[in-house]
Amino acid sequence: MIVREWSSFVPVTKTLLISVAQYSYHAYPNEFCGILSSSPGGIVSNVYPVQNVATHPPTGFKMKPEDMLNQFTLIVERHETFVGVIHSHPLTPPIASNEDILGLQGIKSGSLYVIYSVLHNEFGFYQLIGTSLISKQFEIIDI
């Protein structure tokens, strides 16, 4: 099931981008990870932090299952829609590594996969289609 067909760009709020950067800087030198949701209007507007329980968190991420469940519950209670996952790369560009791609198993096709590079202060937006990541542009929408 495809979560959403993203057109030529993904609409996001400036607040979302600022929040992701803040969470990522706070997690540094480890990778930050979280869940993304959209408002009823379809704009990606919220990030829900999830504890990174990876064996080596400076270069990998694994979301704590209990945190994920708690955050999904909040998303449902707030009448938002799950749209994808996000994590940071503390020292590398926002390009999916082989480890990142392997970690996508279990994520719904159609979901967004976003990487924020702390060092480069740059975002990479992708959409998971089957087992492929398709690069997407994002556009800041004021709400």
Side-chain angles (χ1 to χ4, degrees):
M1 174 181 147
I2 292 185
V3 176
R4 176 187 170 144
E5 183 61 37
W6 299 101
S7 59
S8 57
F9 69 90
V10 177
V12 301
T13 64
K14 185 175 184 178
T15 303
L16 170 83
L17 301 178
I18 291 168
S19 294
V20 167
Q22 289 174 337
Y23 285 127
S24 298
Y25 284 108
H26 180 71
Y28 186 88
N30 296 328
E31 290 191 4
F32 160 75
C33 55
I35 299 169
L36 297 170
S37 72
S38 69
S39 61
I43 298 169
V44 183
S45 53
N46 295 305
V47 58
Y48 291 86
V50 176
Q51 183 180 349
N52 183 352
V53 294
T55 305
H56 194 254
T59 59
F61 79 99
K62 179 180 178 184
M63 294 190 192
K64 184 176 181 181
E66 297 86 356
D67 282 4
M68 290 178 69
L69 180 60
N70 291 337
Q71 301 299 34
F72 278 123
T73 301
L74 281 175
I75 290 169
V76 170
E77 287 174 354
R78 294 176 179 172
H79 304 287
E80 297 170 1
T81 302
F82 165 81
V83 293
V85 296
I86 186 163
H87 80 284
S88 66
H89 283 180
L91 301 174
T92 58
I95 299 168
S97 67
N98 289 336
E99 272 188 42
D100 291 339
I101 293 168
L102 288 174
L104 291 176
Q105 296 173 5
I107 302 296
K108 285 184 179 181
S109 181
S111 297
L112 287 179
Y113 184 66
V114 180
I115 303 170
Y116 173 69
S117 171
V118 176
L119 180 64
H120 298 92
N121 189 30
E122 184 179 1
F123 285 87
F125 275 72
Y126 304 90
Q127 185 172 23
L128 180 64
I129 303 295
T131 58
S132 299
L133 285 176
I134 309 301
S135 182
K136 293 288 181 177
Q137 299 297 314
F138 68 93
E139 181 176 29
I140 298 173
I141 305 292
D142 290 324
I143 54 172

